[in-house]
Amino acid sequence: MSTFHTLETGRRGLSAGQASLSTTGHNIANANTKGYSRQQVNTSSAASLEVWTSQGKGQLGTGVSVDSVMRVRDRFLDQQYRGHTAELAEWQTKSEALGNVETILGEPGENGLNASMGRLWSAWQDLESDPSNAAVQAVVKERAQAFADVAKTIDRSMGDLKVELTDRTAAAQTEAQTLISRIEELNKHISQNGAQANDLRDARDAAVDELSQLMDIKVTEKADGSYALALASNNQPVKSGEPVELQAAGGKLGGLGQSLTTVENYQQKINTAVTEFAQANGNVFETTSPAGELSVATDAPLELPKGLDEDVKNVQADFRAIVSGLGAEGQTAGYAVSAQEQLIVSTENRRQAVTGVSLDEEMSNLVKFQHAYNAAARLVSTTDEMLDTIINRMAAR
């Protein structure tokens, strides 16, 4: 056995210590970097040498081997976090849209549609007591015009909300395509650089986390290290340049698609209630449908509609049911948002416990690896002294 064997063993110890110290420093430097995963050096005992001993063949250790520098991740927690993120984004989007509809209706309130119905009905009752009173007739027409103005404002605001949701959907689709393209580009680099492309993998996981806010995705890692993305709801592959079906997307995109449908449904229900109320008020309205084109007959003499009281009560009851349903949906969405927020906090805490950098732990590792490096250096210097003895002091005089 050569004396240089011990020198090689020390060299390997120095290499392992240097790699561990460098990785620890990298962790410390990125302790506050968003999306960074803690890295660790994986080592194993190097292949042994076969030697003969007095008791037969044996093995002599050759030091340590640096096998890999890997990220510390938990794929299960990653998938859980992304699923909860998609759910939260979907419910937040729906809750916001429902809140906007509630704001547009302004119910209950003095300036809402239900109050305008009540004031016009009250004016009709005054006219019933004095049908020939021109002043009371003028009040009926004024109240009818006020109702028409409220109905038009609501219809216009609902239309504006639909336009806003459509624009936000287009923007979210563009953002999703940008993220998908980035993930595909990172896939190529990771496939080329092998399994230990840790920082590239962190960048890709950060992009996947962002994408999970826009759609509910399932991630499968291939043998070459690249990610295959698919919608969690129907396994539809997610690729750049290919459209995603909103109703199956989940996440913010799914929430926007559902919100647009919800707003359209409520606009239709409100238009139906406005039309029925206008028709119940006889000839005071020239046009009764759609709500956005409601107009008052300013010159025609008013005739008290038959069955007005019953018709108005029915329309108001239907409208109150619409408002109640809207409030219930908004409350459900609010509860869902709160529940998902708690789940995300819990999951993220568990995920960070695995993948996050603990400065206390890293400082402890720093001292441990420093001692190991110093010991390996001492082994090298001791071996050097041994070699000096053999080479320089045992020479023939």
Side-chain angles (χ1 to χ4, degrees), residues 69-81:
V69 181
M70 302 296 291
R71 302 182 309 154
V72 181
R73 300 285 294 197
D74 187 318
R75 293 182 186 177
F76 173 72
L77 289 176
D78 284 342
Q79 192 60 46
Q80 264 199 334
Y81 174 81

Side-chain angles (χ1 to χ4, degrees), residues 23-146:
T23 302
T24 301
H26 190 49
N27 288 339
I28 292 172
N30 288 280
N32 297 314
T33 300
K34 184 178 180 181
Y36 177 79
S37 303
R38 178 169 59 90
Q39 298 179 16
Q40 66 181 20
V41 177
N42 296 321
T43 59
S44 63
S45 179
S48 300
L49 292 176
E50 290 189 356
V51 295
W52 286 94
T53 68
S54 60
Q55 297 182 7
K57 187 168 65 174
Q59 290 185 329
L60 184 66
T62 60
V64 65
S65 173
V66 177
D67 297 330
S68 62
V69 181
M70 302 296 291
R71 302 182 309 154
V72 181
R73 300 285 294 197
D74 187 318
R75 293 182 186 177
F76 173 72
L77 289 176
D78 284 342
Q79 192 60 46
Q80 264 199 334
Y81 174 81
R82 290 162 186 160
H84 293 324
T85 299
E87 288 265 355
L88 176 61
E90 181 176 346
W91 279 111
Q92 282 178 329
T93 304
K94 292 193 287 187
S95 178
E96 182 182 353
L98 291 166
N100 287 334
V101 175
E102 288 182 318
T103 300
I104 289 170
L105 292 183
E107 299 288 347
E110 291 299 317
N111 299 316
L113 205 59
N114 191 50
S116 296
M117 291 180 189
R119 284 191 286 267
L120 179 54
W121 185 17
S122 177
W124 276 116
Q125 290 175 327
D126 293 339
L127 184 62
E128 184 178 11
S129 302
D130 190 1
S132 60
N133 191 320
V136 177
Q137 289 194 18
V139 170
V140 171
K141 292 182 179 181
E142 288 175 1
R143 299 282 173 80
Q145 185 61 55

Side-chain angles (χ1 to χ4, degrees), residues 286-319:
E286 284 183 337
T287 57
T288 59
S289 179
E293 299 178 9
L294 198 63
S295 62
V296 177
T298 55
D299 298 328
L302 296 179
E303 298 177 4
L304 187 68
K306 295 181 180 180
L308 176 64
D309 290 357
E310 188 65 27
D311 290 340
V312 170
K313 286 180 181 178
N314 290 336
V315 173
Q316 284 189 309
D318 291 342
F319 182 72

Side-chain angles (χ1 to χ4, degrees), residues 373-386:
Y373 185 86
N374 290 340
R378 180 60 180 165
L379 174 62
V380 170
S381 64
T382 300
T383 305
D384 179 60
E385 292 174 5
M386 292 168 60

Side-chain angles (χ1 to χ4, degrees), residues 266-284:
Y266 275 108
Q267 186 179 29
Q268 182 59 46
K269 290 178 182 179
I270 294 166
N271 280 342
T272 299
V274 168
T275 298
E276 291 176 352
F277 182 78
Q279 291 172 347
N281 278 269
N283 67 339
V284 70

Side-chain angles (χ1 to χ4, degrees), residues 354-373:
V354 173
T355 196
V357 176
S358 167
L359 288 176
D360 290 339
E361 182 180 348
E362 296 303 324
M363 291 301 294
S364 175
N365 287 338
L366 193 64
V367 173
K368 179 175 69 174
F369 296 140
Q370 181 186 17
H371 285 325
Y373 185 86

